[in-house]
């Protein structure tokens, strides 16, 4: 009798465990089906915001219940894709939690591509984003998501009829291009208390410049999201002089922006002269000490248009042919020697190797200019710079010596980076402008 009861007891336990597992699986399957049904049933599709190294990329998506997804992208690096739908597949799988996967080639694949020439990224890591997303929650028509590999923030929210119409007519890219080119060549500013704040609209981010309490120019950059009505929302509010800036409202009647400061609208003005000239911020010991340049920053490689574009392209082609490695990045670092002499260290990333050239400078602060007096290899301890110093690459490196450059803001844009330029002062009718993303 005891043996029989033990067998019955164990059998009952085993049956109970199987029942619980089955219920859990059934609940997960039901949840996944409900998510797919919800995605497919949205009348006007979905707005997807996916964080990257450059800020949020925005997509418009429509889903079907047979695992098809059609996308539009705001990737302005590919203007030919503007307003062009692309259909691929998706799936929702049960991993650690329900996970939305875009499992065939889509517009998300482009920004994840390890080929830097495709994604626009660096280090063969794409834009540091994801194409598989854990579903954290769904409420009030919004999916909150987290990237499975890089843990980026993402979301899906239901689009409106107006957004659907605008996006299918090319609106995703249009609003980005419009804000980047807003008042192009002019300097935008608005008051916050007694201070003037200079703002750069960079598309996926905004950069603010203002004087702090000590009179030093300070820079704050924040990611943005641009709506189809052209409003610019700051992902995180910015506090300047004790007041909170949350975004910019587009005024269609005046074709201008107003900053939202402590909930009130403040008109954004513009002028030709910069509020804060770049020479106040770029140089040894200043706000920005580094300029990073890639070949794609140059609008033209023709020598008559820009000698720098021509020389960098020539060096790129020479190094690729001579060493089988491209000139990926040229970085300029403004620094000083131990004796306090201003210097410019030029670092070349050729393939996976770094080479260095050191230029000595004299500054003319009143004219926003500096002159390069000589070049050395004193910081090229490994010797790669001397190896690269051949052919067209040598011509490029030598071009800087003995010339005077003016430090300026630039109308040239590149992604969400804050950009500046060095312009050859006496160009002899052959302009030479060096563009670069600015870093501290």
């Amino acid at each position: 009798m005891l043996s029989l009861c033990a067998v019955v007891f164990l059998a009952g336990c085993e049956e109970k465990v199987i029942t619980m597992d089955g219920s859990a699986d059934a609940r997960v399957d039901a949840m996944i089906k409900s998510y797919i049904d919800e995605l497919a049933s949205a009348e006007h599709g979905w707005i997807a915001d996916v964080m990257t190294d450059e800020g949020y990329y925005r997509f418009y998506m429509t889903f079907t219940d047979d695992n098809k997804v059609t996308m539009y992208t705001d990737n302005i690096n590919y203007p030919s894709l503007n307003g062009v739908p692309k259909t691929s597949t998706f799936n929702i799988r049960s991993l650690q939690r329900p996970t939305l996967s875009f499992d065939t080639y889509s517009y998300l694949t482009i920004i994840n591509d390890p080929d830097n020439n495709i994604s626009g990224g660096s280090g063969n890591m794409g834009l540091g984003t994801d194409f598989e997303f854990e579903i954290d929650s769904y409420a009030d028509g919004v999916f909150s998501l987290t990237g499975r590999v890089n843990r980026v923030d993402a979301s899906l929210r239901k689009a409106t009829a107006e957004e659907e119409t605008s996006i299918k007519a090319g609106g995703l890219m249009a609003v980005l291009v419009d804000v980047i080119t807003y008042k192009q060549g002019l300097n935008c500013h608005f008051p916050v208390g007694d201070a003037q704040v200079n703002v750069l609209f960079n598309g996926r981010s905004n950069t603010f410049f203002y004087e702090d309490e000590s009179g030093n120019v300070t820079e704050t950059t924040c990611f943005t999201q641009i709506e189809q009505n052209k409003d610019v929302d700051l992902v995180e509010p910015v506090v300047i002089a004790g007041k909170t800036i949350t975004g910019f409202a587009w005024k269609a009647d005046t074709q201008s922006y107003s900053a939202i400061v402590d909930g009130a609208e403040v008109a954004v003005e513009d002028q030709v002269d910069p509020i804060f000239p770049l020479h106040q911020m770029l140089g040894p010991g200043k706000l920005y000490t580094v300029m990073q340049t890639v070949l794609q920053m140059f609008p033209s490689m023709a020598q008559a248009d820009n000698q720098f574009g021509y020389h960098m392209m020539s060096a790129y082609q020479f190094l690729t042919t001579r060493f089988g490695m491209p000139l990926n990045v040229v970085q300029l670092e403004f620094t000083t020697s131990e004796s306090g002499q201003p210097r410019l260290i030029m670092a070349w990333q050729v393939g996976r190797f770094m080479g260095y050239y050191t230029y000595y400078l004299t500054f003319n602060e009143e004219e926003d200019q500096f002159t390069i007096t000589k070049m050395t290899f004193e910081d090229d301890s490994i010797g790669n710079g001397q190896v690269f110093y051949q052919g067209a690459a040598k011509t490029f490196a030598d071009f800087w010596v003995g010339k005077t450059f003016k430090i300026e803001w630039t109308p040239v844009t590149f992604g969400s980076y804050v950009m500046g330029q060095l312009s050859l002062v006496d160009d002899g009718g052959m302009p030479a402008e060096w563009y670069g993303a600015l870093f501290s």
Side-chain angles (χ1 to χ4, degrees):
M1 288 292 292
L2 289 174
S3 298
L4 178 59
C5 287
V7 170
V8 171
F9 176 75
L10 290 173
C13 290
E14 183 178 358
E15 181 179 356
K16 185 176 180 181
V17 171
I18 291 173
T19 301
M20 290 179 64
D21 283 348
S23 297
D25 288 342
R27 288 196 298 270
V28 171
D29 289 343
M31 180 180 292
I32 288 175
K33 185 179 186 306
S34 71
Y35 286 159
I36 292 175
D37 289 344
E38 187 69 15
L39 289 172
S41 66
E43 181 180 2
H44 301 294
W46 299 82
I47 302 290
D49 288 308
V50 180
M51 180 56 80
T52 73
D53 291 340
E54 296 182 349
Y56 280 100
Y57 271 63
R58 177 163 282 186
F59 304 84
Y60 173 76
M61 301 181 183
T62 57
F63 298 84
T64 66
D65 55 12
D66 61 349
N67 299 101
K68 296 291 196 305
V69 56
T70 299
M71 294 187 191
Y72 293 75
T73 179
D74 75 345
N75 193 338
I76 58 176
N77 295 322
Y78 292 88
S80 63
L81 302 180
N82 192 21
V84 178
K86 181 173 181 57
T87 300
S88 55
T89 62
F90 78 98
N91 205 345
I92 298 181
R93 297 179 294 160
S94 177
L95 300 175
Q96 289 183 325
R97 62 176 64 185
T99 299
L100 173 61
S101 301
F102 297 90
D103 47 13
T104 55
Y105 196 90
S106 69
Y107 289 145
L108 274 169
T109 311
I110 294 175
I111 61 175
N112 280 278
D113 200 300
D115 186 335
N116 299 335
N117 293 319
I118 294 175
S119 64
S122 61
N124 300 318
M125 296 296 292
L127 294 182
T129 187
D130 286 288
F131 54 84
E132 290 189 312
F133 303 92
E134 295 174 357
I135 300 175
D136 300 325
S137 64
Y138 178 67
D140 300 324
V142 178
F143 283 94
S144 296
L145 311 170
T146 300
R148 188 162 176 244
V149 175
N150 291 303
R151 313 305 296 172
V152 301
D153 290 330
S155 65
L156 277 167
R157 68 166 175 82
K158 288 183 177 179
T160 66
E162 293 77 13
E163 287 175 322
E164 178 186 18
T165 300
S166 176
I167 288 169
K168 289 183 176 180
L172 277 182
M173 289 194 196
V175 292
L176 265 180
V177 173
D178 286 349
V179 77
I180 290 172
T181 58
Y182 176 67
K183 303 295 184 182
Q184 196 160 26
L186 298 176
N187 296 273
C188 297
H189 61 94
F190 60 96
V192 174
D194 295 331
Q196 283 293 328
V197 177
N198 191 87
V199 57
L200 296 180
F201 294 93
N202 299 315
R204 302 188 196 280
S205 67
N206 277 9
T207 301
F208 302 93
F209 299 100
Y210 54 96
E211 286 189 357
D212 62 18
E213 295 177 352
S214 302
N216 298 315
V217 178
T218 299
E219 174 256 352
T220 298
T221 296
C222 61
F223 291 129
T224 61
Q225 292 171 308
I226 305 176
E227 307 304 333
Q228 287 301 291
N229 64 0
K230 297 189 179 182
D231 285 354
V232 178
D233 302 322
L234 306 189
V235 174
E236 297 287 343
V238 170
V239 178
I240 297 176
K243 296 183 180 294
T244 302
I245 304 167
T246 55
F248 294 82
W250 176 249
K251 319 304 290 183
D253 55 342
T254 59
Q255 294 290 291
S256 63
Y257 276 107
S258 290
I260 309 301
V261 182
D262 280 352
E265 294 188 2
V266 179
V268 175
E269 305 291 343
D270 57 82
Q271 63 186 54
V272 174
D273 295 329
I275 302 298
F276 303 107
L278 183 57
H279 78 95
Q280 293 184 6
M281 292 179 274
L282 177 62
K286 296 186 179 180
L287 176 63
Y288 297 119
T289 58
V290 173
M291 296 182 75
Q292 288 188 359
T293 303
V294 295
L295 191 61
Q296 295 90 331
M297 289 179 179
F298 291 91
S300 174
M301 308 299 172
Q303 190 171 14
D305 295 333
N306 190 345
Q307 294 183 79
F308 270 130
Y310 169 78
H311 284 306
M312 190 166 179
M313 172 59 81
S314 299
Y316 180 98
Q317 293 173 334
F318 170 79
L319 292 167
T320 302
T321 302
R322 178 70 177 80
F323 299 105
M325 297 179 294
L327 177 57
N328 297 327
V329 177
V330 177
Q331 176 169 300
L332 306 181
E333 180 182 357
F334 290 88
T335 182
T336 57
S337 65
E338 292 183 0
S339 63
Q341 174 69 34
R343 302 189 310 163
L344 183 66
I345 298 176
M346 180 184 292
W348 292 24
Q349 182 183 341
V350 180
R352 59 187 181 88
F353 299 97
M354 300 295 297
Y356 299 89
Y357 305 89
T358 302
Y359 298 90
Y360 279 82
L361 316 174
T362 58
F363 272 91
N364 182 341
E365 293 284 355
E366 292 183 0
E367 298 295 333
D368 312 342
Q369 298 174 0
F370 66 89
T371 300
I372 295 181
T373 57
K374 68 175 181 178
M375 184 189 79
T376 74
F377 293 102
E378 61 191 81
D379 293 286
D380 191 48
S381 58
I382 298 177
N384 289 332
Q386 297 176 66
V387 172
F388 301 147
Y389 190 63
Q390 305 177 37
K394 177 181 184 299
T395 303
F396 174 29
D398 289 344
F399 179 80
W400 297 75
V401 180
K403 294 182 173 63
T404 299
F405 299 92
K406 186 177 181 66
I407 299 173
E408 300 175 305
W409 294 107
T410 180
V412 172
T413 60
F414 190 78
S416 299
Y417 295 105
V418 178
M419 297 284 291
Q421 71 182 35
L422 307 177
S423 301
L424 183 61
V425 172
D426 185 8
D427 58 28
M430 296 278 282
E433 294 175 336
W434 181 261
Y435 312 114
L438 305 177
F439 298 94
S440 300

